[in-house]
Every structure is written in C-alpha cells, then in structure tokens.
C-alpha cells in the first residue's frame, strides 16, 4: 500500500525512453515500451485525453503525467496509493526544474540518476525537497579528492588523504543529519551580515462571469513566497487576518500551532521557498469589469463591442493587459477600433488580441470590432462561443482582502540583538479570468 | 545484409573500445567510459558483457563513480549472478565506511541486487546498518529489510529483522520511524492477507506514530496516515483522539497527505458514529473542516485533479453532507482536459439539489453548447439525470432540454430525446404535452439509440399522438436496414399501436412487421420476439394487452451508484489508491501472484507453487486477477444463470428487448414455461414454439432480483425505456471492467459436450465497436476459439454505443497448444476491436466446463483404480454442504459422477465417492472422495489421478460446484 511505484520512466513526446529507474523487480523495460504503442500513440478515442492519466493493462498499472515535452510514467503492480504516486511525480517535476532550470539535456542524465536514487527507495518516496537534496547531491557531484594518491584503496592511503576522508565523512554526516533531522529544511550555523526577509504575496484571481456581468464563479489562489537571508535558527510568526477559506503550508510550518492559534509559526529554510498557499472565495474585489456585446449579424458578419473598466484605486496601474476576444473559425478579417493600446485579429488563436501596455485604475477602455466571416454552406455546427479571456498583472494590489498583520522574528540565542529588515510586496495576477459571451 | 554487418561491427567495435577504456589506468578516462556505459544502458542497448570490467571500477573513492557502477550493477547483476559475487567484498567494506552516505549507498544497492548468493552476504551488513548511529543509514536499512523479504522471507524472519523493524518504530528520528513503518506495510502486503499482523498496532505504537506525524517528511506522513487508516479501532474515544491529531494535516501543501488524512478522518467518522450519541456533532464539525482542503485539491495539475475527483466522487456518495454546498467548484473550466470535465460533471449531478438546481442547469446548458461532442452529450444526459433525481426540478430540466432541441444540432437533439424518454418513464402521464415538439424533430434522428427512444415514445403514447400510425410507418420504411435495437423497438411499438388503436392501417402495419421480422431477418432475437407477439395476438388479444401494455415499474437514477459494500470498502479502506480511482475492488486488477497465496490460504490447502516473480511480463503472459474475482461472482450467480445456460444455440439478446413492456404483468408461471421451452433442442428455422427460447432471457432477467430497468447514464447501463435485461447479463462475472470503454463479462460453460464461452460485451464508448475477434493464449487445456471472428448478431457485427451484446463462442481443444505442466486454470484472452484496439483479460476455466458427460465408470473399476493410482492429495475446503443429496445432485450436474455414498458411523460424516474424466490437457480419469458432515462447515476432499497436479485443479473447482453455482 505504501509503495508508489515499481519503476519510473521518462519519455519524450515521441515515446522514446529517455530514462529508466527500476525500484522493484516486477516490471521491465518491455512493459514500459508498450506505453508508447498502447497509450501514447493509441487512437484518439483511446488516448489520455479521454481516459485520464491512469490505466491498467494486463496487471500493470500505468500512471503518467505530462510536463512540457516530457512524460513521466510510473508502473506498479499493486494497489498503491495513487494520489501519492501522482503527487510524487509533480514533486519530481519541481525538483528537476530547480536542478536544471527547465533545461533537460543528455548531460543531466547522470545527475538525474543520482537524484532518482535519493528520491525513492524500493518504490517508497523518500526526500524530494530541492533545498534538502542540494545539501546531499551537488550539481557537480560529491567528489572526495583522495585523488590519484589514494588510488591504492582505502588501506593504502596516505595520512593526509585519510584526514581529508575523515573531514568528508564528517561533512556527509552533517548532511545526512540535516536530511533526516527534525528541522530537516534548515542547517545549523548559517550567517548573514544583514538579516533580510522578503515576503511576496502573489494572488492569482480566477473568475467566470456571465454575459450580463454576474459572477458565476470566483476564487483567488494566493501564494506567499519568501526569501529569507537570516542567521542562525530564527522562529518567525506571521499574523494574517482570517480571510482564507483554506490554506496549505510548507513543511516548516507548525500545523498544530496554526490549528489552535491561527498564527503561521515556522523556522524558515534558507533562501527562497513558498511558505503557503491559500484560497479565498468570498469578499473578492475584481480588478476589472468587462461588458461584452457580441452579435452575429447574418451569416457573414459579427459585431463585437467590449468595454473594460478597472475598479482599483487610480494610484495603481496594471502592467500589460491582454484581452482575447474569440471569433468563429471561419473569420476572414476584422476591422478594429480601440480607445487604448493596439488590437489585431490572430488567426492561430482564433481571437481578436487587444494589448494595452498599461491600464490606470478607475478608467475604462473599449474595443469595437466588425468581423467578416467566410460564408460556409454546410457548417451545421454552431460556433461554440468560447469565453473572453483577460490577462493582466497589477502590482501592489491585493484582491482577496488578505492582509499581513505582523511578521515577528525571534532568535533565541541572540534575543533582542537580532535585527531584521523586512520587505513585503504584493502582486495580483490573472488566472482564468473569463467572461462568457 | 550489408547494413546489418555494418551495424554489428560498429557495435562490437564500440563495446571493445569501452572495454579498453574501462581498463585504462587513467582515472578520468575510466570514469568517462563508465558514463558512456550508463548512457548506452539508458537508451536500451545491452551492455551486460562489460560486467566484469565495470565491476572492477567499483572500488573507488569517487562517490559519483561509485554510484554509477552501483546503478549498473542493479541493472545487470541478475544476468551475471556468478560475477556479481565479485562485488560483494566491496559492498561489505563500503557498509563500514566512515562516510554515512557510502554506508547507506552500499546497503541500499545490495538490497536491489536480487541474486541469492548476495543476499546471504547482505545479512550482516544489514544488521549493523539497522543499528547505525546515523539516521540516514538507519532509514535506508529499514527499507532494505523489505527488499530482502521480497527475495528471501525466511531469511528475514530467521535473522529477527522483523522485530528490529518494529523496534525502529520507537526511533528518535521521525524519518526512520516512517520508513520502518512503510517497510512493515510492504512486507505485510508481500505476505498476503493470510500473513500474521506484523504491525501489531497497540496504543503505544499509535502514540509513537502520532508523535512522528508532526515531524517527518511529507511522504513519511502519508505512510503514517495510511497505517492509521488501517488501524482497526471500535472505540469512539480512540477515533476522536486520532482525528484530532490528524485534522491539522488537512492544511498540508501535499495533496497526498491531505487525501490520506481525509481517509483517516472518514474512517474515524464511521467509528464515532457507533458511539452513544451517534457522534453527530463531531461528524458535522469534521465534515466542515474537510470540505475546504478537498476543494483545494482541484487547484493542482489536471492529473492530480483527476485522482482527486475520482476520490471525491466516492466521498460524495458516502458522506453527501461534506460537499453539499460546494457544487460551484465543480463547474467545468473551458480549458479543463476532457477527462477532468467528465468527472466534474459526474460530481455535479451528485451534488445537484433543489437548492442549487437552477445554477447547475444554467451550467449544464452552457456545456451543452460547447464543441466537444462527447462532453456535450454527457451534459445533456446530466440534465436528464437531474430531472429523474429531483422531482421538483423536472419541469425546469425539461424546459432546458426543449431549448436545446431548438438549437437543431443533431447530436444534441438526439441525446435530448434519449433522456426525455427516461423522464417519461420516471414521471408517467405528466409531461406528454411536449411530445409534439419531439415529433417535429424526427428528421434529425440517425443514431440507433435516439431512434429507438423516439419509437418507444411513439408506441407508448400512441393513443395521444394523432398521427402515430403515420410516424411509425415512416420509420418502418427502412425497417430492414435498421440496427436490431431499432428493429426490436419498432416491433414492440407497432404491437402497442395495434393494441391501442386497432385501425385498419395498424393491422396492415402489424402484419407487415411480423412477417418481415419472422421471415426476412436472420436475427434470432427479433424473430423470436416477433413469434411471441404473433402467438400472443393470435391466441388471446386480451392477454396480449395485459402483457404488452402493462404498467411499468418506476425507474430511478442509480446508473452510476456503487454497491454499498463496495463503496464502503473503497472509502474506508482504499481511498486514494488505484482501486478508488477505478471504483473497483483491487482484486480485479492486481496480479494473481499475490491472490494465489490468498486463495490457497483460504482453502486451507498447501501453498501453491508460486510463479516466479521475475518472469518477464509481456502483456499477454500476464497473470491477472480477474479469474478469482470471476469465480467468486460465479458462485454468487443465482438460478437465473441456469435458465440462461439452457437457451442453447442462440446468443443472448444483443440489443434491448421489450422486456419492460412485456414483463411486469407476465404471470410468474411464464418463467417456467419459457425455461422449459428453452431446454428443447432446436435448430435455426425451428417452429415458433421452440424459437421462443431466446426470448426467455428477458423473462429470466425480470425474475431476477435486479430492477428491470435503470436509467442510462455515465454510459454505463443499458437503455432504460428500451428495456434491457441487465440482470441477466449482470449474472455473468465481470472479466474486464473498463468504464468509458469496452467491458467484458463472461463465463465458460459446458453445453452438449462442448466448451462454450458465453460473453457479454458492453460498449460504453460513444461510437459503435466492430471488427470483433477473439483469441486465447496457450493454456493448460489447449482451449481455443473455433472461430476467431465473433458473431455479433447485429448488422455489420457492431456493438452499438451504450449497449450490451451477448455472444457465444464455442471453444475447441487443440492438443498441440497445451502448455507443459503444472496445470493452471488460467486462461488469457485477447479481444480485438477495430475501435479500441486489443483488450486483454484473464479468466479461469471452471471445473464443470472440463468434466465430460461420458466420464463415469463402474464402481468395481473405481476400487481397482483407487488402489492402483499414486497416493491421494487431500485438502479441507471451507464449505458447508446442506445435505448429501444436494451434494450428489450438484456433483452430477457438473459431470462428477457419484459412484457410492456411505455414512461413516464413527464421525457422523457422509462419504461420497465420485469420478470424472477430463481429456483436455491430458488430465485423464480423476477419482474423488468427499467427506463432510451435512450442514456443518468443511469438506475433506481426497483426489487421486495419474497426474499429481490435478488435485489442485479439483480443490479450486469444487467449491463452485458444491455451492451450486457452476
């Protein structure tokens, strides 16, 4: 039950195996190869789009996840914890992203093998946290420089290299303690000249509005991203107004304390990490209101009139705002008129793309379009009328109503001598900001 | 030719070059060579011949190089077991290295090398590492115990490693605790359900685990939570304590932690509910806390969302209150992948209530206008299901459907008509006013299911539709070309019309249809049904009215609801697992290897020879589990199954039959009558009386316990109003469940000296499936289909979407295809279709299919043979036989011929001596002795035969025979 996989495979989109790591003996490469023929390249009706990411062929269960141009595949023969398996795959993705920064190449394969050795053992997920693994596996690999002198072997090494070895062993022991320790995410003895904390609140707002502007669904998914450059072992206490419907926290947060006092208490990892995610459904202020009027005039013409109004303070300003107004597949051309920015018809996106480099608070802009359609004789299917999509970023705007009430830092050893500079930023981004037409 | 030569020389050259480099004294060069070897291994080249040279690089201070060599070893050690021994020294040495990383690496790798000789050397290092000072080494060693158990369980027990693992549950380091626990769980699973409880969860262990829960890694938390969920407590106080500690986990960022925590809490809810006050308040409070995290799971990647949604579907069925107010979050996003949308829709239907139905309907209407056809259809069906489930909202649902019909999009209209028919069934005599609108859209109907639904509506309401005869006549013009589903429906509708409005034109139509259906068709279902109607109408029109126009039972939307006991198991035992994603018990897809052990234990027989776990698993040679599940289902089959068995050469109905129209008022005696008819031997053009046998099925179905009809939804169940015989088909054990795809039910039976595969294929895809062919893998009995092509009794041999086709495949025995001993009842079957590719499933050949009708012998010969044969094999089967007579009857029915019966005075036992003959697979004559006390549990069976492996076959097969299920 605990086991998440018998083996991991990486495929490219063509279905070639890029990497293989078996953890148990009950599957083999041949089975994995059938993934290509029977799932990846299966007929459309049979494909992942219809069936979802988990299939059992024979008695082997295939669980797969696509990320960019790579498929990750887990095989198992038992009734394992599927959520564990999938979550493990997403962890692998973020782990590799943090190691390779998106670049996946031949030379990274050896390092990936090394990582795969560490993240899972006998099908049991072990350590996937990048910050911890980086203490254990360096990009360049762990090298002990007993070197050529010590080549005779362990017994024949000179005194010098022996002490070097001892140092290595001690360093490794430190690393292993960090990996398994109670505060696994932070090592001892970190020193900075200046203690600094950066706290970024990034909120992604998802909205679905109906034609007449009523809200069908809305939520804000927020993340608190931190950069901590703090010496020693500080404990942080972050007070938030209780606005959230749900929150999930980084490993470092004391969940029991949050449950009882609603204060986010934690010893932060060193450097950058995501402290928490939260979701807000109520009390959201929408930064933009959109009023679309799209009417099909006869069979060959479509008129669109879309106006957008910003509702936030006029002291703020949105970064680039992009509005995608979908048009039918048989669009020939479009005459466009906008009060700000530029707009054009993009045939590949099947939409009118309206870009504005900035959008001040408390203003309104309009797009007027006359779209000419190619007359089609036998097109019985009506136009699906996909929703209008809005993309934007508004710095320093919080749309969920969540506020940081305080952020306290306590370092036991140094007490009040411990000085910290704190910085807080906010950003409101569009997620799925959709308006039905 | 020349190309091949070129490649082989290059390859040889390359290997040779690598060999040289591996032997080089230059360190960087050597390391590069190892890297090249690993690269070659990665792309699937065979580099096993470099084994000795790579192993020589093992002794190095370079940790990176060491890891590479170890990686190579893991992959190839098994191919070179003798050479692998070379590595042992280094392993042992490394396991004592001052560097804990190297110690851990050594013990981790050694466990992965599945070579017997190495495992012996592994024990001492492992013992040391389990007690290592460094927690990293200990956590690695803990897992290694599970690895070793997989290779050599006795060794693990002898060396006391299990006790050491249990001690490690008290380790100061949380990660060690979590891994020790996970290792114990793995070992428990390897040992099978018959194994003793390794964890021995006590209050003390429980507290330790709860303490470690706060501190260990996210994955460790999952291990701990899963073991807490398995902890069997009956004490509400205990449950509350556990839940209180687990609740904060819901806030964890890792969705696996969240879902496992949810599982623990759901389980605790069940226990708390046993408490004095029913724990209502507690359950309410926990439910409230559980909802937000469940919703948050939907913010993850689509694949994770899918797993979450499948689990949420179960939770919603089990505890509807948890997410009752959250229907909005399951609204589909425009860019969700189709598989996510479909699951969301399913949950939306479940959460739809009088409170939120307006919102839900608005959403569904929106979806019904999207472009993806499958999604649109499902959305329309969803509206129908809401209508059936929520009486108050029916009118609103119907209005939406009518609006959708106005769009004139062909597939929307057709789907709407299908669901409206269901609504008519659910609420008779309420909404017939809309029939006129429906009749305006006859032209757009081109799909069989929609057509037959419309025809059903016309027939059912013939008296209210002024021009019903004209409408039907229009359909009848194309009668010969229609699919059998539509033909059957037309036939019934015409009869209804005639009975309701016996006009001249109706009379003309009925005679035309009956003559066409009886003489010009080669579909036995249609022909037989036409004969039934004919005879009914000609002998007693009033009786015909009673039968055909009878009141139909009310339907309910239960199409996608799970059996309560399965649901409970899925929620409280299997939540988050693959089984919960499939909504199926794990036995249906995990390999038989483990199951074999289970069954052997259950039967109290000696342990099976387990199949070598290392058999390379090409898909076809897989050992699947369905077999055992199938056997169990067969045991549960009721006497209805017997009726079916008798309807000899005709296939079971391929398309919905007018059962709904005929059956409820049918006198009970009819079952027997038709059953009796069915047993008559008959040929193709048999007289009317005999031909009715195929139609025994719908009656048989209705005499079964299952509701006669269920609403079609989720693409799962047969069409409602069109009247299927789901009960009849559901009696067949499921061999391959494939929600949204093609599923197979079936059973091997013996009929008139021939082994026959009765199969029912359910097509849940949205398109017809055709080009069906069947083949079996080599098996112990040399069984194979007489003809590979499946004769589906529909035009073009296609199974229409959403329907079930039954087919009968005679099997032949081909001696040349018999696999060598030992005997196995396993039968691997491949089913090819044009649309969904090849489907594989496993079945078990039941004993009763193998035993021959002429297998009896003289009592005297029996005695002689008993003495002459090698010693018997005996086992005790955990069965209760009501009486010796019943046992004798059942044995005889399965061609196990009873030769003698006596009472054993000393023990009060009945002793039965029986024999059977099985030519297939060269089994030969088998002699049996059964001893039991009537009504009490346990049957002692002794088996004698030429071949020793026959005994197991009999032990496996007897239970279903004695239970009367064969």
């Amino acid at each position: 039950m605990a086991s998440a996989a018998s083996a991991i495979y990486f495929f490219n989109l063509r279905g070639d195996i890029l990497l293989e790591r078996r953890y148990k003996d009950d599957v083999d490469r041949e089975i994995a190869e059938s993934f290509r023929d029977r799932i990846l390249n299966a007929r459309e009706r049979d494909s992942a789009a219809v069936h979802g990411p988990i299939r059992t062929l024979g008695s082997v269960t295939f669980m797969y996840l696509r990320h960019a141009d790579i498929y990750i595949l887990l095989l198992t023969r038992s009734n394992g914890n599927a959520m564990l398996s999938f979550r493990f795959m997403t962890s692998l993705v973020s782990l590799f992203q943090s190691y390779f920064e998106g670049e996946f190449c031949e030379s990274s394969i050896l390092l990936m093998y090394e990582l795969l050795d560490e993240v899972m053992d006998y099908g049991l997920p072990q350590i996937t946290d990048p910050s911890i693994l980086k203490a254990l596996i360096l990009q360049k690999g762990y090298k002990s420089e007993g070197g050529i002198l010590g080549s005779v072997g362990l017994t024949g090494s000179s005194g010098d290299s022996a002490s070097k070895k001892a140092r290595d062993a001690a360093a490794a022991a430190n690393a292993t303690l960090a990996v398994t320790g109670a505060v696994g995410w932070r090592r001892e003895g970190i020193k900075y000249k200046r203690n600094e904390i950066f706290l970024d609140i990034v909120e992604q707002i998802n909205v679905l509005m109906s034609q007449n502007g009523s809200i069908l669904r809305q939520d804000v998914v927020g993340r608190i991203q931190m950069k901590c450059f703090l010496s020693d072992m500080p404990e942080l206490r972050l007070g938030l107004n209780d606005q959230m419907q749900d929150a999930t926290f980084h490993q470092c947060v004391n969940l029991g304390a949050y449950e009882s006092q609603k204060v986010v208490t934690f010893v932060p990892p060193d450097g950058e990490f995501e402290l928490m995610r939260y979701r807000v459904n109520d009390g959201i202020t929408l930064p933009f209101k959109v009023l679309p009027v799209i009417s099909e005039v006869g069979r060959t013409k479509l008129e669109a009139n879309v106006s957008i109004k910003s509702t936030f303070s006029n002291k703020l300003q949105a970064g680039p705002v992009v509005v995608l107004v979908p048009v039918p597949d048989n669009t020939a051309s479009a005459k466009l008129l906008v009060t700000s920015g530029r707009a054009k018809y993009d045939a590949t996106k099947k939409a009118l793309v309206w870009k504005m480099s900035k959008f001040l608070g408390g203003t309104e802009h309009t797009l007027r379009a006359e779209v000419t359609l190619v007359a089609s004789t036998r097109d019985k299917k009506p136009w699906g009328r996909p929703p209008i999509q809005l993309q934007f970023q508004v710095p320093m705007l919080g749309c969920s109503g969540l506020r940081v009430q305080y952020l306290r830092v306590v370092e036991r050893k140094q007490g009040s001598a411990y000085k910290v500079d704190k910085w807080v930023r906010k950003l409101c981004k569009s997620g799925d900001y959709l308006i039905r037409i | 030719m020349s190309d091949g030569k070129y490649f082989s020389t290059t390859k040889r050259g390359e290997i040779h070059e690598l060999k040289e480099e591996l032997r080089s004294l230059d360190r960087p060069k050597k390391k590069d060579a190892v890297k090249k070897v690993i690269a070659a291994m990665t792309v699937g080249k065979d580099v096993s011949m470099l084994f000795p040279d790579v192993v020589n690089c093992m002794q190095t201070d370079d940790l990176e190089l060491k890891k590479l060599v170890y990686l190579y070893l893991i992959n190839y050690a098994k191919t070179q077991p003798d050479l692998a021994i070379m590595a042992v020294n280094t392993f042992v040495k490394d396991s004592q290295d001052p560097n804990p990383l190297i110690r851990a690496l050594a013990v981790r790798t050694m466990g992965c090398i599945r070579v017997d000789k190495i495992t012996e050397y592994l024990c001492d290092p492992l013992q040391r590492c389990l007690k290592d000072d460094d927690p990293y080494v200990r956590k690695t060693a803990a897992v290694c115990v599970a690895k070793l158990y997989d290779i050599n369980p006795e060794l693990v027990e002898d060396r006391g490693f299990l006790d050491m693992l249990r001690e490690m549950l008290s380790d100061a380091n949380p990660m060690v605790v979590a891994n020790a626990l996970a290792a114990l769980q793995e070992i428990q699973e390897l040992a099978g359900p018959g194994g003793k409880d390794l964890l021995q969860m006590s209050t003390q262990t429980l507290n330790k685990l709860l303490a470690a829960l706060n501190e260990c890694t996210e994955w460790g938390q999952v291990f701990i939570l899963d073991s807490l969920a398995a902890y069997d407590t009956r004490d509400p106080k205990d449950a509350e304590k556990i839940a209180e500690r687990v609740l904060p986990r819901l806030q964890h960022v890792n969705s696996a932690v969240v879902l496992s925590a949810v599982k623990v809490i759901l389980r605790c809810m069940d226990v708390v509910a046993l408490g004095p006050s029913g724990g209502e308040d507690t359950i309410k409070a926990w439910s409230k806390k559980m909802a937000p995290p469940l919703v948050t799971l939907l913010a993850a990647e689509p694949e994770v969302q899918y797993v979450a949604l499948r689990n949420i579907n179960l939770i919603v069925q089990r505890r509807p209150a948890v997410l009752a107010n959250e229907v909005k979050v399951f609204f589909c996003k425009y860019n969700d992948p189709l598989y996510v949308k479909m699951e969301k829709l399913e949950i939306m239907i479940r959460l739809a209530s009088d409170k939120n139905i307006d919102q839900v309907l608005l959403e569904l209407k929106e979806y019904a206008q999207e472009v993806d056809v499958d999604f649109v259809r499902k959305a329309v069906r969803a509206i129908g299901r809401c209508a059936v489930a929520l009486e108050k909202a029916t009118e609103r649902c119907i209005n939406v459907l009518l609006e959708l019909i106005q769009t004139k999009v062909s597939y929307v209209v057709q789907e709407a008509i299908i669901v409206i028919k269901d609504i008519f069934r659910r609420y008779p005599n309420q909404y017939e006013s809309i029939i006129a609108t429906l009749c305006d859209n006859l032209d757009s109907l081109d799909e069989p299911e929609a057509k037959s639904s419309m025809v059903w509506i016309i027939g059912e309401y013939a008296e209210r539709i002024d021009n019903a005869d004209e409408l039907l006549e229009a359909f009848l013009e194309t009668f010969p070309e229609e699919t059998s589903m539509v033909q059957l429906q037309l036939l019934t509708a015409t009869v209804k019309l005639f009975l309701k409005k016996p006009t001249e034109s109706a009379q003309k139509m009925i005679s035309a249809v009956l003559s066409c259906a009886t003489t010009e068709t080669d579909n036995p279902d249609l022909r037989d049904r036409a004969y039934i109607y004919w005879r009914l109408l000609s002998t007693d029109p009033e009786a015909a009215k009673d039968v055909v126009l009878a009141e139909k039972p009310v339907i309910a939307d239960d199409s996608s609801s799970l059996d309560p006991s399965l649901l409970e198991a899925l929620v409280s035992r299997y939540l988050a697992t693959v089984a919960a994603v499939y909504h199926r018990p794990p036995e249906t897809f995990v390999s038989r290897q483990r199951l074999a052990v289970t069954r052997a234990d259950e039967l109290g027989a000696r342990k099976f020879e387990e199949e070598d776990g290392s058999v390379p698993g090409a898909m076809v040679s897989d050992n699947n589990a369905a077999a055992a599940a199938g056997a169990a289902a067969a045991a549960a089959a009721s006497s209805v199954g017997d009726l079916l068995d008798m309807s000899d050469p005709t296939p079971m109905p391929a398309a919905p039959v007018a059962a709904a129209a005929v059956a409820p008022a049918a006198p009970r005696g009819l079952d027997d009558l038709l059953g009796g008819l069915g047993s008559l031997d008959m040929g193709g053009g048999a007289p009317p009386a005999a031909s009715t046998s195929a139609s025994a099925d719908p009656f048989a179905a209705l005499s079964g316990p299952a509701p006669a009809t269920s609403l079609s939804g989720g693409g799962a169940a047969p069409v409602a109003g069109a009247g299927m015989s789901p009960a009849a088909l559901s009696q067949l054990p499921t061999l391959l469940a494939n929600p949204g795809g093609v599923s197979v039910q079936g059973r091997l039976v013996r009929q008139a000296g021939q082994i026959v595969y009765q199969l029912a294929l359910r097509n849940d895809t949205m398109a017809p499936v055709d080009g069906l062919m069947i083949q079996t893998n080599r098996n112990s009995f040399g069984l194979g289909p007489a003809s590979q092509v499946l004769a589906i009794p529909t035009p073009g041999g296609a199974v229409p979407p959403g329907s079930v086709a039954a087919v009968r495949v005679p099997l032949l025995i081909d001696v040349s295809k018999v696999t060598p001993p030992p005997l196995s009842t396993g039968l691997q079957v491949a089913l090819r279709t044009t649309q969904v590719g090849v489907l594989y499933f496993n079945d078990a050949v039941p004993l009763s299919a193998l035993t021959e009708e002429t297998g009896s012998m003289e009592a005297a010969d029996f005695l002689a043979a008993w003495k002459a044969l090698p010693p018997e094999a005996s086992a005790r089967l955990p069965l209760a036989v009501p009486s010796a007579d019943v046992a004798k009857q059942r044995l005889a029915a399965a061609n196990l011929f009873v030769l003698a019966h006596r009472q054993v005075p000393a023990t009060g036992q009945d002793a039965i001596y029986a024999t059977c003959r099985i030519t297939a697979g060269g089994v030969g004559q088998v002699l049996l002795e059964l001893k039991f006390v009537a009504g009490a549990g346990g049957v002692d069976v002794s088996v004698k035969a030429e071949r020793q492996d026959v005994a197991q076959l009999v032990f496996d097969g007897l239970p279903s025979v004695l239970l009367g299920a064969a």
Side-chain angles (χ1 to χ4, degrees), chain B residues 388 398 417 419-435 438 453 456-457 460-461 555:
Chain B
V388 170
I398 289 186
I417 287 184
V419 300
I420 285 176
K421 170 214 59 196
D422 290 335
I423 297 175
F424 285 174
R425 279 297 314 275
R426 173 71 178 79
Y427 309 104
N429 307 320
Q430 288 186 42
Y431 300 104
E432 284 73 18
S433 54
I434 65 169
I435 289 177
L438 303 184
S453 299
W456 181 85
I457 291 173
E460 187 67 18
Y461 299 104
I555 58 166

Side-chain angles (χ1 to χ4, degrees), chain A residues 1 25 56 113 118 144 246, chain B residues 42 61 78 136 189 296 582:
Chain A
M1 188 93 106
D25 215 24
T56 299
Y113 272 130
E118 223 43 76
S144 70
D246 186 31
Chain B
T42 302
D61 293 342
K78 220 163 57 183
Y136 182 79
E189 199 182 316
T296 300
Y582 287 154

Side-chain angles (χ1 to χ4, degrees), chain A residues 1-3 17-19 21-22 24-25 28-31 34 38 43 45-46 48-62 64-66 77-84 86-88 90-91 109-110 113-114 117-118 121-122 124-128 136-137 140 142-144 147-148 150-151 154 165 168-169 172-173 176-177 179-181 215-217 245-249 251 255-256 258-259 279 380-382 384 386-387 432 436, chain B residues 27 35 38 41-44 61 63-64 67-68 71 74-75 78 93 98-101 105 108 114 134-136 139 143 146-147 150 173 175 179 182 185-186 189-190 216-219 222-223 226 248-249 251-256 259-260 289 292-293 295-296 301 303-304 306-308 328 331-335 338-339 363 366 369 371 374 409 573-574 576-579 581-582 586 589-591 594 616-619 622-624 834-836 840:
Chain A
M1 188 93 106
S3 157
I17 295 180
L18 300 176
L19 202 64
R21 181 70 169 85
R22 271 184 283 151
K24 288 191 184 181
D25 215 24
D28 59 25
R29 199 181 175 99
E30 214 177 309
I31 295 178
S34 63
R38 304 212 14 215
R43 281 165 222 264
R45 202 139 277 299
D46 212 28
V50 179
H51 276 282
I54 174 165
R55 300 279 297 281
T56 299
L57 305 174
S59 56
V60 180
T61 300
F62 292 66
Y64 46 96
L65 178 135
R66 181 176 167 177
R77 272 184 195 272
S78 60
N79 178 33
N81 185 328
M83 189 51 112
L84 180 67
F86 278 95
R87 195 55 201 10
F88 176 72
T90 58
S91 296
I109 283 189
L110 293 176
Y113 272 130
E114 239 182 296
D117 214 25
E118 223 43 76
D121 194 7
Y122 194 60
L124 305 169
Q126 297 290 304
I127 304 157
T128 50
L136 210 60
I137 297 170
K140 295 255 158 72
Y142 240 88
K143 272 179 205 151
S144 70
I148 299 162
S151 63
L154 294 171
K165 269 186 75 70
D168 271 356
T176 57
L177 281 179
V179 167
T180 56
I215 309 295
L216 298 172
R217 182 182 59 222
Q245 256 76 34
D246 186 31
T248 57
F249 296 99
Q251 179 75 14
L255 294 178
Y258 180 77
E259 174 88 6
R279 184 166 52 79
K380 264 174 87 185
K381 233 192 215 175
D432 290 323
R436 282 185 183 158
Chain B
R27 288 198 145 203
K35 284 184 180 174
I38 298 292
M41 186 180 91
T42 302
V43 295
D61 293 342
L63 189 54
E64 193 190 3
K67 283 185 178 175
L68 294 176
L71 184 66
I74 293 173
N75 261 336
K78 220 163 57 183
K93 205 180 283 168
N99 184 337
L101 288 177
L105 184 64
R108 182 165 67 208
R114 298 172 58 95
D134 192 295
Y136 182 79
K139 74 110 182 156
V143 177
K147 295 179 190 171
D150 199 1
N173 186 294
M175 194 164 179
N179 269 9
Q185 284 173 344
E186 283 291 295
E189 199 182 316
L190 287 169
C216 65
T217 67
E218 46 197 329
W219 311 117
V222 177
F223 304 154
D226 281 351
R249 295 298 117 195
Q251 237 70 58
H252 202 283
V253 71
N254 186 318
S255 28
L259 195 57
S260 289
K289 286 191 175 169
V295 171
T296 300
E301 293 78 0
E303 288 90 347
V304 176
Y306 175 78
V307 176
K328 265 188 170 186
F331 288 179
C332 301
K333 291 186 181 163
Y334 190 73
N335 47 1
L338 184 60
Y339 60 83
E363 248 342 85
E366 194 72 35
Q369 293 168 48
V371 279
D374 287 351
V409 181
R573 285 180 62 195
Y574 298 122
T577 67
V578 179
V581 175
Y582 287 154
F589 59 88
V590 294
S591 90
R594 285 169 192 174
M619 285 299 166
D622 260 340
N623 298 310
N624 206 334
T834 315
Q835 283 75 17
V836 295
Y840 298 94

